[in-house]
Every structure is written in structure tokens, then in C-alpha cells.
Amino acid sequence: MSVTFDPEHDTPAVFKQYGDRMGIDYGGWNLLTGTEKETADVSKSFGVMVQKMQDGTFVHNVTSLFLVDQAGIIRKVFPMGEDMNNEEIIKMIRSLAESK
């Protein structure tokens, strides 16, 4: 799941274009947008702090990928960037999917 921090700019059509550029498999990935309050509430529920700046940009504390199970429980937080281990992430996703 990806949640926009900027729902005024990231309309469903714009967010879909982003997903297409990133090669997202929509069968297992959702792009969430809504009102600014709704997206802020979702971010907050995951412990992500987002602040809108005066110039309209956003700052946030997200430097990680959250693996969340079907019950909404965060199973693991993976660091993003150079140390991101995609093979480990895929292995854990498959393991969760198989344990339905």
C-alpha cells in the first residue's frame, strides 16, 4: 500500500500514473488517496509523521518500508535505500501470503 501525503496533487489519475511508472502490480498493491485529513490519519496510524510546509511541500519521517499483515499488524520494518534487501522483503511477503 502506498499512501499519498499530497492528496490535492495526487489525484487518483496522477497516483495511477505514478504506479504505472513504478511497475506496481495492482493485484497486490493499493494506492490510497483521500482528503488531506484522511491521508494524515492513515499515516499517523502507522506512526508516520507528516508536516505540510508553507510552500506546499511535505516533510515526513518515512525512511522505511512497513510489512503489514492482513490483520493490520506491522510484521517488520525494512530500511529503505542502499541497504534495502529486496530478496528478504519478497521472501517475507510470500511467507505471509502462504500463511493465510
Side-chain angles (χ1 to χ4, degrees):
M1 165 176 59
S2 293
V3 180
T4 181
F5 298 136
D6 187 2
E8 289 182 24
H9 175 262
D10 293 333
T11 63
V14 169
F15 218 16
K16 171 91 170 51
Q17 289 173 350
Y18 165 79
D20 292 346
R21 279 195 317 272
M22 299 303 290
I24 288 176
D25 174 2
Y26 297 106
W29 201 271
N30 294 302
L31 301 174
L32 301 182
T33 188
T35 67
E36 195 169 316
K37 181 182 180 335
E38 289 169 335
T39 58
D41 288 348
V42 170
S43 298
K44 187 176 180 181
S45 74
F46 285 102
V48 175
M49 304 306 294
V50 179
Q51 182 177 358
K52 187 173 185 177
M53 306 305 288
Q54 288 182 355
D55 66 359
T57 61
F58 292 81
V59 294
H60 55 81
N61 67 337
V62 180
T63 59
S64 304
L65 175 75
F66 294 74
L67 179 58
V68 181
D69 68 15
Q70 292 179 336
I73 298 169
I74 298 173
R75 292 296 192 103
K76 182 152 176 114
V77 179
F78 296 95
M80 292 174 68
E82 292 178 12
D83 296 331
M84 192 168 182
N85 185 336
N86 290 334
E87 290 179 21
E88 179 186 4
I89 294 167
I90 291 169
K91 182 179 175 183
M92 288 198 70
I93 291 170
R94 286 187 176 137
S95 175
L96 277 177
E98 291 169 359
S99 68
K100 285 185 183 180

